[in-house]
Amino acid sequence: MAEASGSPVAEDASGGPVAAAASGSPVEWDAHGEPVVLDAVSAPDADGKPRRTTRRFPSFTRDTARPEGGGRAASSDAPAPARQWPILTVLTAVGLGLLLTALDVVRFGTILIGVALLAGAAMRWVLPDVGMLAVRSRFTDMVTYGVLGVAIVLLAMMAQPNPLLEIPFLDDTLHFTIRT
């Protein structure tokens, strides 16, 4: 019995060296002491030791990549609020909209919330780095913020009484669903 790379090596039936890996599967070693991968789901890690890999997403990740544009919006010398000014701008406008809605200025408050989301979509499109406003890819963030912003603004403009915007087919749909 010989040792290669600190692992005990035994000979298999054909006389070739075989070692037991940490996962319990046999591993062949070549003439240079390098592990040889036996099946499609095992691969050597950075140190060259064979490990069993899986296609299942890990339950705990340590090195998730930051979304594109997810860097600081200001230099690292600036205080934390200044580095995250895009999301603070959106959150401040949404908070003000919620406050106005709570104070019974519902239409203006909800329009302000929708406009804040539309401003977030515009900032995500225009600015190279938006800090924590970047959640996913640039395209996904823009579509999400934009669709939600437009929907909130349209619904706020159609709110009763005295709607600022009337869309006939939506009115007919509403009356149809209430009648039946």
Side-chain angles (χ1 to χ4, degrees), residues 30-135:
D30 66 5
H32 304 289
E34 298 293 323
V36 177
V37 177
L38 294 179
D39 57 344
V41 295
S42 66
D45 63 9
D47 298 329
K49 295 180 183 176
R51 64 178 171 85
R52 195 149 184 73
T53 60
T54 178
R55 292 174 54 165
R56 177 179 270 164
F57 192 77
S59 59
F60 179 74
T61 58
R62 295 184 201 133
D63 55 352
T64 305
R66 188 184 307 176
E68 57 179 289
R72 293 179 173 144
S75 69
S76 60
D77 299 343
R83 289 192 306 257
Q84 297 298 334
W85 69 266
I87 192 147
L88 289 176
T89 304
V90 172
L91 288 176
T92 301
V94 168
L96 183 60
L98 289 171
L99 179 66
L100 289 173
T101 303
L103 295 174
D104 212 22
V105 188
V106 176
R107 187 179 314 239
F108 187 71
T110 52
I111 288 175
L112 183 60
I113 292 170
V115 168
L117 289 172
L118 291 172
M123 282 191 278
R124 191 68 174 100
W125 181 34
V126 172
L127 300 175
D129 292 319
V130 290
M132 289 173 43
L133 189 62
V135 178

Side-chain angles (χ1 to χ4, degrees), residues 1-11 17-19 29-34:
M1 192 173 293
E3 291 210 9
S5 306
S7 300
V9 178
E11 291 183 6
V18 174
W29 298 85
D30 66 5
H32 304 289
E34 298 293 323

